[in-house]
Amino acid sequence: MEDCLFRFFSRKENVPRDVLDRTYHYTGFGFNQKAFSTMANSYKDGADQLADSQRHYNAQYNTDLVYPIFFCYRQSLELILKAVICNLFIPINRARSKQEGLVIRERLNGHGLMDLFNRICRRIEEKGVIGSYYQLFTDIRPYVEAFDNFDRTSFGMRYPAGKDLAPVKSQEDLMRYDIQYTSEHYDHVWKLLRELYEKSQKDWSDGLFVV
């Protein structure tokens, strides 16, 4: 496949098989936990690499990279929360019905980070296992709240204005934010989020969240 802007690697270029196999993570998945988790990791890695590049070449102050850096961190957070939601609602060991598919889409709808986080808390509380998740929820909540307050609609780093055409509040003092501070602290919450994802995935595979 090749056009004026995109092309596939040719067989003659000897691209390693493991590199080509990564395509599997991005195709054919639809709404399920592995797809959301894989994409979340990609956005986190992208944000880290951009933050590192700014650290090396612009050691003290921000550049226009502030937009993609904060966007990628926020997007990774939204996607890993949605991966957890998939763990809590997708039926195990059988195809989901059309109605179940609609329920999952509804649970995944929206971009509000605290809204997504609260859906997770409510679902786990419904299943009567809130105790085993309590410390994780306690540790993660302040970080989700902070990013939600910074950019509640996900418009802040993507557009110069919101849907109502009003200026986005998080952009007003954007250059005053310390990117390296965010990057270092996000590493901590990312470990907690991955722990939440892996714990909920294990409980999902054990049939705890059977719909």
Side-chain angles (χ1 to χ4, degrees):
M1 176 274 199
E2 182 175 349
D3 59 24
C4 64
L5 193 58
F6 301 99
R7 79 174 184 91
F8 286 157
F9 289 117
S10 70
R11 292 184 178 182
K12 294 180 181 179
E13 290 174 284
N14 294 319
V15 181
R17 182 73 248 178
D18 66 314
V19 173
L20 295 178
D21 285 346
R22 291 177 203 161
T23 302
Y24 174 70
H25 292 296
Y26 299 96
T27 58
F29 273 146
F31 286 95
N32 69 52
Q33 50 269 68
K34 192 170 185 179
F36 279 104
S37 173
T38 300
M39 292 189 73
N41 286 333
S42 295
Y43 278 105
K44 168 65 164 58
D45 290 345
D48 285 344
Q49 291 182 39
L50 287 171
D52 285 344
S53 71
Q54 176 157 289
R55 181 184 293 116
H56 293 149
Y57 298 109
N58 303 281
Q60 189 171 3
Y61 302 111
N62 293 343
T63 68
D64 288 343
L65 286 178
V66 67
Y67 292 101
I69 289 172
F70 281 138
F71 170 76
C72 286
Y73 279 133
R74 191 199 185 284
Q75 186 70 358
S76 70
L77 176 51
E78 179 179 329
L79 290 172
I80 197 63
L81 290 175
K82 289 184 174 180
V84 174
I85 289 173
C86 285
N87 281 339
L88 305 184
F89 286 96
I90 289 181
I92 185 172
N93 295 331
R94 63 177 174 83
R96 57 181 177 261
S97 68
K98 183 177 180 180
Q99 183 59 37
E100 287 170 337
L102 293 175
V103 169
I104 295 165
R105 285 176 178 269
E106 181 181 345
R107 297 295 189 277
L108 293 169
N109 189 40
H111 301 287
L113 299 175
M114 277 307 299
D115 185 35
L116 295 170
F117 183 71
N118 287 332
R119 291 176 206 175
I120 293 170
C121 295
R122 286 194 299 270
R123 176 63 169 171
I124 289 176
E125 188 171 5
E126 287 172 5
K127 290 298 180 179
V129 291
I130 191 70
S132 64
Y133 284 84
Y134 179 80
Q135 193 58 53
L136 270 175
F137 286 164
T138 301
D139 293 341
I140 291 171
R141 182 180 294 276
Y143 295 92
V144 179
E145 285 180 338
F147 232 130
D148 200 47
N149 290 333
F150 175 75
D151 184 7
R152 185 154 294 154
T153 64
S154 86
F155 269 74
M157 301 299 107
R158 293 191 293 153
Y159 299 102
K163 288 184 178 180
D164 58 0
L165 302 184
V168 178
K169 189 177 187 308
S170 57
Q171 294 181 1
E172 293 176 2
D173 296 311
L174 198 57
M175 290 301 171
R176 299 179 64 185
Y177 286 99
D178 184 340
I179 286 177
Q180 302 311 323
Y181 178 91
T182 299
S183 179
E184 291 165 8
H185 284 72
Y186 193 77
D187 279 343
H188 172 66
V189 72
W190 185 249
K191 292 176 183 176
L192 297 174
L193 289 163
R194 294 302 309 179
E195 185 179 345
L196 174 61
Y197 171 75
E198 288 161 12
K199 177 172 173 51
S200 63
Q201 188 172 54
K202 181 181 183 304
D203 287 343
W204 170 81
S205 64
D206 289 344
L208 185 62
F209 302 117
V210 173
V211 178

